């Protein structure tokens, strides 16, 4: 179920006999939180779902590419599937949103990683696909849109900040 990019096949953790009440949504950094959140879910008798994939931030309406011209359209489609699943899942109470926020805001990876610059854009806007100058604003827009839809569906949202990155 990890990296499947299929909102119908979410990973299950915690008390699986209960209806899903928590969902962890994000990229690979969200996945790193799974052992702790899964243990809490098990202890609290909660059923936890995980939706996410590497380099797929939980941002709505935002596309991405990188300086190597790789296209991440699959992420935008997947995130829309996930939010629709969140909106229609009555048992769901809490959505925990986590990602490696600095890479999406700044577009830059650490020096020891793949050096491709990550560029965010909206398909309906004319934008320079070689510049990260709009990344921060687009992260805010995409995250705000996700927050608004989560809250409008009657769920609570917990936003997890980034872990420190040490070069």
């Amino acid at each position: 179920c990890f990296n499947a990019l299929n909102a119908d096949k979410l990973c299950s953790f915690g008390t699986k006999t209960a209806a899903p009440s928590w969902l962890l949504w994000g990229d690979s950094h969200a996945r790193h939180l799974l052992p702790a959140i899964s243990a809490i879910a098990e202890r609290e008798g909660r059923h936890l779902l995980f939706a996410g994939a590497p380099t797929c931030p939980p941002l709505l309406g935002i596309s991405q590419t990188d300086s190597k011209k790789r296209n991440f359209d699959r992420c935008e489609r997947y995130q829309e599937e996930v939010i629709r699943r969140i909106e229609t899942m009555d048992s769901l109470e809490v959505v925990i949103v986590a990602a490696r926020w600095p890479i999406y805001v700044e577009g830059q990876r650490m020096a020891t990683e793949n050096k491709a610059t990550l560029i965010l854009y909206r398909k309906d806007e004319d934008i320079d696909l070689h510049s990260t100058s709009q990344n921060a604003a687009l992260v805010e827009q995409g995250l705000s849109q996700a927050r608004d839809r989560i809250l409008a569906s009657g769920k609570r949202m917990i936003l997890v900040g980034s872990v420190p990155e040490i070069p």
Side-chain angles (χ1 to χ4, degrees):
C1 62
F2 293 111
N3 308 334
L5 292 177
N6 182 342
D8 292 327
K9 296 181 180 178
L10 302 179
C11 302
S12 280
F13 301 91
T15 305
K16 296 176 188 174
T17 55
S21 56
W22 295 352
L23 181 121
L24 174 58
W25 182 23
D27 60 8
S28 61
H29 279 226
R31 185 175 175 184
H32 292 295
L33 300 173
L34 266 175
I37 295 174
S38 179
I40 295 167
E42 185 70 41
R43 185 185 71 216
E44 298 295 320
R46 299 294 188 146
H47 184 168
L48 169 70
L49 297 175
F50 175 75
T55 320
C56 266
L59 305 173
L60 297 181
I62 305 299
S63 297
Q64 58 183 323
T65 188
D66 65 22
S67 55
K68 293 183 178 181
K69 304 295 183 236
R70 290 181 291 185
N71 188 298
F72 296 86
D73 278 350
R74 60 184 173 68
C75 292
E76 185 179 0
R77 286 189 304 272
Y78 176 67
Q79 302 306 16
E80 186 57 39
E81 289 176 18
V82 171
I83 195 68
R84 283 196 302 264
R85 183 94 188 265
I86 289 168
E87 291 170 328
T88 59
M89 194 178 302
D90 292 336
S91 64
L92 199 59
E93 299 170 13
V94 177
V95 179
I96 304 161
V97 178
R100 185 181 180 185
W101 303 116
I103 194 170
Y104 306 113
V105 170
E106 299 165 7
Q108 302 298 317
R109 299 176 188 273
M110 292 179 33
T112 56
E113 296 178 283
N114 167 344
K115 303 245 191 267
T117 301
L118 191 64
I119 301 155
L120 302 181
Y121 64 98
R122 295 183 78 90
K123 288 181 180 175
D124 59 349
E125 293 180 6
D126 192 24
I127 191 164
D128 179 3
L129 292 179
H130 302 287
S131 172
T132 61
S133 65
Q134 293 297 310
N135 277 24
L138 290 170
V139 166
E140 183 178 353
Q141 289 173 26
L143 192 54
S144 294
Q145 189 176 351
R147 178 206 58 215
D148 292 348
R149 287 180 66 180
I150 290 167
L151 297 179
S153 70
K155 279 78 173 173
R156 292 183 325 191
M157 180 176 136
I158 298 171
L159 178 63
V160 179
S162 295
V163 297
E165 295 192 22
I166 302 169

